[in-house]
Each structure stands twice: as C-alpha cells, then as structure tokens.
Amino acid sequence: MTSPALTLAVPASSRRRRARMGQWQGLLYIAPAMALVIVFFVIPVLFTFWMSFHDWPLLGQPEWIGLGNYVRLLTDTRFLSSLRFTAYYTVITTIAIFVVAFPLAIFVEKQRRGVGFYRTVFFMPVVVGLATASLLWVWLANVDSGLIGPAIRMMGFAGKKVNLLATFDSAFWTIIVMVVWKVAGFTMIILLTGLQSIPVELNEAARIDGAGSWQRFRHLTLPLMRRTIALALILSVTGSVLAFDQFYIMTSGGPQNRMISVVYYIFNQSFVSFHLGYGSALSIALLGILIVLSVVQLRLLRVGDDK
Amino acid sequence: MTDGMRLRQVRKSFGPIEVIHGVDLVVGEGEFVVFVGPSGCGKSTLLRMIAGLEEVSDGDIEIGGKDVTDLDPSQRGIAMVFQSYALYPHMSVRENLGFGLSMANVPKAEIAVQVDAAAKILKIEPLLDRRPGQLSGGQRQRVAIGRAIVRKPQVFLFDEPLSNLDAELRVSMRIEIARLHRELGNTMVYVTHDQTEAMTLADKIVVLRDGVIEQVGTPREVYEHPANTFVAGFIGSPRMNLLDAAGQGAGKVLAAGAEIDVPTIAAAGSGKVTVGLRPEHLVLTASAPGTLKATVDFFEYLGGTRYLYCQLPDGQSLVAEQRDGDDLAAGETVHFTWKPKDLRLFNPQGLKLV
Ligand SMILES: Nc1ncnc2c1ncn2[C@@H]1O[C@H](COP(=O)(O)OP(=O)(O)OP(=O)(O)O)[C@@H](O)[C@H]1O
Ligand SMILES: [Mg+2]
C-alpha cells in the first residue's frame, strides 16, 4: 500500500498510523465502484428478495405471505415449461456458439494476411445491441419484404412464400442463427486470448513428440485453455439463460406461446399481470439457478486447482 | 563417411529476406557441435530447420544418412531442448517424459520403463509426480533433457538451454550435459551465446555471421587459428587485439609506429594488413626495437588476472592481460612484447595470412 521507501525511516507508531491511513485510502479508491454495485445490484437484489415474500400488487397494500410464492412456482406448469424451453435454448445456443467461435478463434490466431480485417469483421455484430439485432433480423426474416425467405424462394428451394417466424422450428433456428451471428465474435475474442497465451514452443515440442494437429488440440490446447473456456462458457450460458429480447421482439413468445423464456415469463408476471411479488420470487429462483450452474461449470472445468 | 548429419547448401528466407545463405556442414556421428555467433546471425533458425520446425527454403538436410528435408519433426530422429524448457504445464513430470511415446502408441508398461530409465540418468526420480510449476529452473531443465532422452534420438538439438539459469547452476548443468554426451554418445547440436560453454563442450565449433558460416573447427583451431578477423574478434574474451598495420617488405610490418618482425610470412609486400595479438600473449618488457609502446588508460584488478587498457601512439587501443605484477597508474608508458608464434596476420579482406 504505502511504498517501502516511505515506511523504512519512520518509527513504528507512525508507521501503524500510516498503515491505517493507507487502509482508508484503499477504501476511498474502491468507494465509487462499491457505491455503484451497492446501489444498482445489492440493494435491488435485497429488495427483490424482500418483495418475494409478499403478495405485492402494483396498487394497494403488499401482504406478507412467507414462502407462498416459492411454493407456488414449484407447481406452476407455465414456469416449469419456460424453464424447460430456456434449458433447451441454452444448450443449443451454447453448443452452436462454441462450434462457430472456436474455429474462428483458431483461424484469426494464426499470423496471416488480413487477420486484423477478419477479426474486425467477425467482431462487428457484437457491438450491435441485441434488441437492434433482433429488429434487423425480424426484417431479414420477413415473409414479403425480407431477405432470407424471398432468397430461398428465388433460388428454388421452396415453392410458396417462406415465413421463417411462423413455425416453432424455423423461428427457433432463425433466432439461434441470429444469436450466433451476434455473439460468436465475442466468444471468439475470449478464446483468442486463451489461444494466444499458449507459448508457441509448447506446440513445437509436441510436434517433435509426434503429436498431430488433433492430438495437440486435444492434449495441449484444450487443457491449457481451461480457464478461458470456463469464462466463455459461463458468459454464454448466463447470457442464454437470461435471454429475453430476441423472443420478445422477434416472435413475441413464438407460435403457440412455445418460446417463452424464463425472463420472458418473469416479465409477463411482473409487468403484464403485475404480480410483482411472484415475479420477484421467480427472479430470485433464477438467480439461484444461475449461481448453481456457474459453480457446476467451474467444478467441471476444475478451475482453481492448477498446481 | 558420416552417419551423423549433413547440411547441403541450406537456405532460409522469411518472405523476401534471406537469413541463411547456403550453409554446408558435415557433422560426424557422436560429435558435439556448437553454433556460436552474434545475436540474429541465424543460429536458432538453422537449428529449427534441422528440427523441422522451420521449412527449408533450399538445399537439403540428411540425418543418419537419410534425407529428412521434407520430413515431419517427429520422424527425423531428433529431440530438442528449448531455452524456455517448453514443458507441458498441465502434465506431471512423468507424463511430460512419456508424452512422445504415448503419442506413438507405445504400451503403458513400456513407457513406464523408458521414463524410469531416463529419470534415473538425470536423477529426477523423486520429481516424477510433480508438475513443472513445482520445480526449480535447474530441475525443469533436467526434465526437458529427460524428455529428449526418452525419444532416443540420433541427434539432440539444444537452443541456449542454460541461458535461463544462474551462473552457478549453469556450470553444473554444463558439466552434466558433457557427462550425458559421454554416456549416450549421440550427436549433439548446441546453440549458445556463452563462450565457455562453446569451448568446453564442443568437439567442433561453428562460427556463424549473418547466415554464413565463418569457420568450422575444434575449439583450439578456432581460438588459435581464426580463419578471419571476425572469428578472431568473436572468439575469446577480452577479444583479440586487431591492429591496422602496413607491410614493410620481407618479414616486417609497421604497426602503431613500431616495426614488427613477422617471420611467419615471407613478404607482406607494402600493402595494408591486420596484426592480431591476444591480450594474454602480451608481455610487459623494457623499451626495445620491435616492441609496442603504449600508454595505460586504466587498469582492472580481477584477482587472478589484471587487464591493462592501453592506447597506442597512433590512437588505436590495446588490451593486455597480466597474470601478476604491480598495479599500473593511468598515463604510465609501457612496452609490450610477445612470442612470434602468437602473432596472427590478416589481409585487408580480413582473411588469415599463412
Ligand atoms: N519468423 C521470422 N520471420 C522473419 N524473420 C525472422 C523470423 N525468425 C527469425 N528471423 C530473422 O532471422 C534472423 C536470424 O534469427 P535467429 O533467431 O536465428 O537468430 P539467432 O542467431 O538465434 O539470434 P539470438 O542469438 O539472438 O537468439 C534474424 O535477423 C531474425 O530477425
Ligand atoms: Mg536464438
């Protein structure tokens, strides 16, 4: 904290005082960040937690009902089906993102001509907001005036008009493609940093040891990228579990309301039906689920026990 | 003639820039060859070409009588020890040593035998279950060498293997590598910056400059009979004094105002030459014809040796190494003599004159 040069000459008592002052200084430095976290995260979470034990209508008096909301959500079939859908979506998106992002990362890691251009192009969709991207793809997928449907028709793959957002499967895959397009660049950059942190000599040593490119990937690259993969995985899973914009904007919950994600359901309960207490309980439950998922992922990838 | 290794007109270009310009080299079976040269002269590049890590732009490489120019690194019969050790950080020492064999689908029991044998040679048995991160620099270096041994290569390649170690450890690892070479008898190619390593380890020193071989010879040949002024100046520390001189007809040259006898050559003519004198060959003497007069600039006392940094009357500088004698003050005038056999003469192109 204080520099050794300063502390050397001063007597013990004043050194202690200085150390105490240093601690206060440290607190001072993190105070702005702490304030933001407390105001925008800790207090809302605590308040949500508090609300979740109430029947809390928009107007009128909240009423304490203890664990009532939590008991209710355990048997709420619409909640459970939104959970199932979110899980399905999360698994598919995460796999799709990694399948696309890993080869991209390997591609842009090699020193080749125009690599800066490729990195930029692949990363570009990331800077588009998710809502904006959703709107863009709603247009791309439009039956008449869009790009994809008419293009499929023009190339002769389909006889009649193609409405991508009309059936569950085609709408679901359109959203997956949109999300991968939007997010893969970000995952690519994360994975790229992991790839770049592996010393070149390790791969050379493995080449001399007779490991082919797949074996080097399997025995060297993957294990050495464990932390990076964990980070990319947790970000991808968390992002998918919290998915909302794309379903709200692109399909409004989808054909037969089959595309209601958990957050979408919480939104409906809280701000459409105004069951604020129940919405809070659902949010807290979702927070718990996310924490469990993250811990499980860290465990599975054994992050932290390197030595 | 040889089963060791042969390079024929080997060239390497990175893009439009050629960095190795047609290297020819023959290495005998079991020879210990050391590449030395200034930074950036292409030592590592040449070694990596032998290893197969760097493509050969032109020419070919033979190992054990087999053309390996286009072979994969793993099929050349080589093993390499990297400066950074390049141990696999997520594997135990045992797995590091056995990795190559397991890639070659050698049965587990056989791998264990080989790994134990290599560990025994390097005395790293107690470390087998640790990770590289839990080892000291010297231990890591042993493991890296062990990993090379397990491959049972025809040729060992070392790229500055000791340069990350502290001075003391460097000496003991150097002796270790010499012992290893004696015991295993493999051909070894070793890149270093360290003159002591080069002189003590090498059967054959290869002096490189700017991608060209300047001289190949035993340490003694390279030190005592440098082929040119570059080698003369590069090998030896402090470096050989190279003085501009002019031929004075038969057997005499004029250097820094002194007429010097050079009986070894019949006639230097009247052209320019370079006189080479090693610091340790200069002996203090009384003023006499044929001696070099110099003014002491400063004097360094190192215990066993002392260095005299002097200036000659014509402004050239001269370093002399003394074994004993009194301290000398700056500004004192001294005279040097030497044995005629210790004097080297180079022509204006820098080549050795016989
Ligand atoms: N991948 C590369 N691309 C372009 N030029 C390179 C590359 N690798 C090496 N060079 C060039 O080739 C020359 C020889 O490099 P090399 O690494 O072989 O030198 P070195 O003798 O090992 O030097 P040092 O003693 O500093 O390790 C240098 O001029 C270097 O800039
Ligand atoms: Mg080098």
Side-chain angles (χ1 to χ4, degrees), chain B residues 43-44 159-160 191:
Chain B
K43 305 179 293 289
S44 299
D159 192 354
E160 309 203 26
V191 169

